[in-house]
Amino acid sequence: MNRLRVTSGPVLTLVAGWLATRALMLGLLTLGSARLLGGGSVSREVWRLYFHWYGVLAHGAFPAHDTLWQYPPGAGLVLLAPGLLPGLSYFRAFVLLTLVADAAVTAALAVAGRRTGRSLRGAALWVGGLPLLLHLPLARYDVQVTALGVAALLALGRSPRAAGVFGALGAVVKVWPALVLLGVSRGRATRSAWSWATAAGCASLAVLAAMFTGPFGFLREQGGRGVQIESLGGTALNLARHAGWPGRVRYQYGSMELVGPHVHTVATVSLALTAAAFALLVVWRLRARHFSPATPYDAALTAVLLFTVTSRVISPQYLIWLLGLAAVCLTSRHTRQRPVAVLILAATALSSVIFPLAYGEVVAGTWTGCLLTLARNALLLAAAVLSFARLWNSTRPPVRLPATRAVPAGRVPERALTRS
């Protein structure tokens, strides 16, 4: 049985760090109307958009005809949850629940890191990395989704069934947590995790379909999305504006997207690259032979990285997912993703400069805005390539050295005699 270490100094440091950084994030949230911090654009998502959806969901229907609603039906429960806290406005209740989810992730990483043979680096990365996004994580529901993905990965070693359930619940809320089960070791663990995930996912969708009308309307709006300005394709098109490309930026489907000639081609290429990334992961899964305790963690980070960099949309809150998965990787001393975690931290810091600090430059397509997104996306692309390469090499079968003939005792090899 694994025993927790009794040393409390590092844990107290983590608690103090969490309290200090989250107080700073709350302070930035209260000052969010300042022009430098986005002029209120960060918090507006909660008190205007989420609160509007809350009113629709409270009447038993999804906002199926709203082009901004592009989320799986489980997201509705997350947006309804603040209404369960009496005496608080919707905005304050949402932020409080986000902080609770954040604290739960920190606690889970700390408990996992204190087990024998594990590390607290993962908890430290989460505590110190999330504030790099300034106050944005408190005004998005991605922390709650990340909590489900982290719970799924950390449960794998003890209960593949629980891991499957957590992964399915996360997928019902925002799809990507389904990828955390990609690296489960072969055999009984895989069958258990995936079968329970399938059952839990189907049951959740059935319950939501019975409780609400229009639960799958998001598929229509998701399919209509174009190329968001911060994606890899959007960065290329934004740079093309300096070479005479006549496209422009328009707010649609909940983000700033590029419209004009060749945008559809770029979107199609992005979808093709996503399909190629999925095929690459399938090939890895079929050829992987050596699974270490960290392989499920490393595979989850690799998969989400690949799907992020090939997506038509790279919103700054996507970095919350990557920070959570990188933190889980660092709880294991067997992980091969430490350099990848460094690249993710650098990309996270740049993301907060892109939005909200310099978003006007990005939308205007100035050289400053273009170079910022180019640098951030280059870091993410490098992280994805490096992550997959290290995952591939770590799961290859060990090299077998050719057998050598034993030399009888007292006999000197002829080759040794000739050298003298």
Side-chain angles (χ1 to χ4, degrees):
M1 181 178 67
N2 290 330
R3 298 181 62 184
L4 299 180
R5 300 195 205 104
V6 296
T7 55
S8 58
V11 175
L12 292 177
T13 302
L14 282 173
V15 172
W18 189 88
L19 291 173
T21 53
R22 274 46 181 183
L24 175 61
M25 293 169 70
L26 284 171
L28 292 174
L29 190 64
T30 60
L31 300 173
S33 59
R35 183 177 180 181
L36 180 63
L37 296 175
S41 58
V42 173
S43 57
R44 191 180 300 127
E45 185 116 346
V46 178
W47 60 261
R48 179 180 291 180
L49 186 59
Y50 289 2
F51 184 62
H52 167 67
W53 286 339
Y54 168 80
V56 177
L57 291 162
H59 288 87
F62 284 94
H65 300 291
D66 188 342
T67 58
L68 302 183
W69 179 258
Q70 302 154 15
Y71 308 107
L77 298 181
V78 178
L79 299 181
L80 282 170
L84 301 177
L85 300 183
L88 292 176
S89 66
Y90 183 85
F91 182 82
R92 291 181 177 178
F94 182 90
V95 173
L96 177 59
L97 290 176
T98 304
L99 283 171
V100 170
D102 175 20
V105 173
T106 305
L109 292 168
V111 170
R114 295 189 70 196
R115 295 195 178 103
T116 303
R118 306 296 285 271
S119 172
L120 285 172
R121 291 191 185 96
L125 182 141
W126 175 258
V127 170
L130 199 63
L132 293 177
L133 290 169
L134 305 180
H135 53 303
L136 176 77
L138 300 181
R140 300 292 185 274
Y141 76 89
D142 295 86
V143 173
Q144 289 89 320
V145 182
T146 302
L148 291 171
V150 169
L153 284 173
L154 294 179
L156 268 175
R158 298 193 170 195
S159 175
R161 296 178 178 180
V165 172
F166 280 124
L169 293 178
V172 170
V173 175
K174 210 164 189 179
V175 180
W176 70 262
L179 297 171
V180 303
L181 302 178
L182 180 71
V184 183
S185 57
R186 297 176 182 275
R188 184 177 180 180
T190 292
R191 292 191 297 271
S192 179
W194 290 3
S195 60
W196 276 78
T198 302
C202 292
S204 301
L205 291 174
V207 170
L208 289 167
M211 293 174 58
F212 299 91
T213 60
F216 303 109
F218 76 99
L219 294 172
R220 178 178 59 255
E221 308 304 338
Q222 187 63 241
R225 298 198 73 165
V227 178
Q228 189 239 16
I229 197 169
E230 297 173 56
S231 65
L232 262 70
T235 301
L237 290 172
N238 223 6
L239 285 168
R241 294 166 75 181
H242 292 275
W245 180 66
R248 64 188 187 279
V249 178
R250 177 192 298 169
Y251 181 78
Q252 56 186 17
Y253 294 98
S255 64
M256 303 303 292
E257 295 187 351
L258 289 153
V259 294
H262 313 300
V263 170
H264 179 72
T265 301
V266 172
T268 303
V269 170
S270 295
L271 292 172
L273 289 174
T274 299
F278 179 76
L280 204 59
L281 291 168
V282 171
V283 172
W284 166 78
R285 175 72 193 188
L286 294 175
R287 299 194 63 177
R289 291 295 179 269
H290 176 70
F291 285 74
S292 75
T295 298
Y297 308 160
D298 294 357
L301 178 59
T302 300
V304 176
L305 265 171
L306 287 173
F307 276 79
T308 297
V309 298
T310 59
S311 173
R312 295 170 293 171
V313 179
I314 302 181
S315 297
Q317 58 264 31
Y318 291 11
L319 276 297
I320 299 173
W321 318 341
L322 299 177
L323 285 172
L325 297 177
V328 174
C329 290
L330 293 189
T331 62
S332 174
R333 298 184 186 274
H334 298 277
T335 185
R336 299 290 304 278
Q337 302 293 314
R338 292 187 187 92
V340 177
V342 174
L343 292 175
I344 290 173
L345 283 173
T348 301
L350 268 179
S351 290
S352 63
V353 178
I354 293 170
F355 181 84
L357 301 182
Y359 201 55
E361 300 282 342
V362 176
V363 173
T366 66
W367 277 112
T368 299
C370 289
L371 292 176
L372 282 171
T373 54
L374 181 64
R376 193 277 307 273
N377 291 341
L379 286 170
L380 287 177
L381 182 60
V385 173
L386 180 62
S387 181
F388 182 79
R390 295 179 75 87
L391 175 68
W392 182 278
N393 291 331
S394 69
T395 55
R396 292 177 63 186
V399 178
R400 295 182 179 179
L401 297 175
T404 57
R405 290 186 303 172
V407 180
R411 181 178 176 182
V412 180
E414 294 180 3
R415 188 176 301 172
L417 292 174
T418 57
R419 288 178 182 173
S420 62

